[in-house]
Amino acid sequence: MDPCIFCRIASGELKTDFVYADEFAVAFRDIQPQAPLHVLLIPRTHVASLAEAGDEPLLGHLLAAAARTAATLGLTDYRVVINTGPQAGQSVFHLHLHILGGRTMAWPPG
Ligand code: AMP
């Protein structure tokens, strides 16, 4: 059994409603939303973090897919966050882009 929870979501082993999906990435709602709309976009392939993602075409695709996902959700104003490493708040070690929207965002983030 693959121990990576996001791999299991991406493969369909764990039944999850995707708000966006394409050949390389899927997006689904965060289980602990930090905004009225909070979606995670992940690559289908396992990449532990941004620091280990050397695949520039994939990274470009994920950013474009994040914009498509936000548009699908009807968001015009949103924040995209990639926590990288435990000190930055990364808790799941499968690369993911947080897409947050539906409220006014503070800056700087905590
Ligand atoms: P991070 O702390 O940046 O690694 O973000 C991981 C995110 O994954 C957190 O916001 C969690 O709430 C979310 N999360 C963890 N497990 C699941 C799950 N099974 N389904 C949806 N979101 C999850």
Side-chain angles (χ1 to χ4, degrees):
M1 187 176 79
D2 193 326
C4 174
I5 185 93
F6 286 181
C7 281
R8 296 173 70 197
I9 288 173
S11 70
E13 180 192 335
L14 289 182
K15 289 289 169 229
T16 305
D17 287 332
F18 294 148
V19 299
Y20 173 88
D22 65 29
E23 185 180 354
F24 302 107
V26 299
F28 52 92
R29 292 182 192 277
D30 195 293
I31 203 167
Q32 284 189 294
Q34 302 300 314
L37 283 169
H38 185 175
V39 162
L40 301 173
L41 176 74
I42 67 171
R44 288 185 183 272
T45 53
H46 185 82
V47 179
S49 75
L50 181 61
E52 294 174 45
D55 185 340
E56 294 188 16
L58 176 63
L59 291 172
H61 179 86
L62 289 171
L63 279 182
R68 281 195 289 274
T69 302
T72 297
L73 295 168
L75 293 172
T76 55
D77 296 50
Y78 53 90
R79 181 170 288 173
V80 176
V81 174
I82 305 175
N83 295 326
T84 306
Q87 193 173 5
Q90 185 175 7
S91 61
V92 177
F93 288 83
H94 180 128
L95 176 62
H96 50 281
L97 287 68
H98 295 261
I99 303 167
L100 300 134
R103 66 167 168 81
T104 300
M105 302 285 164
W107 189 263

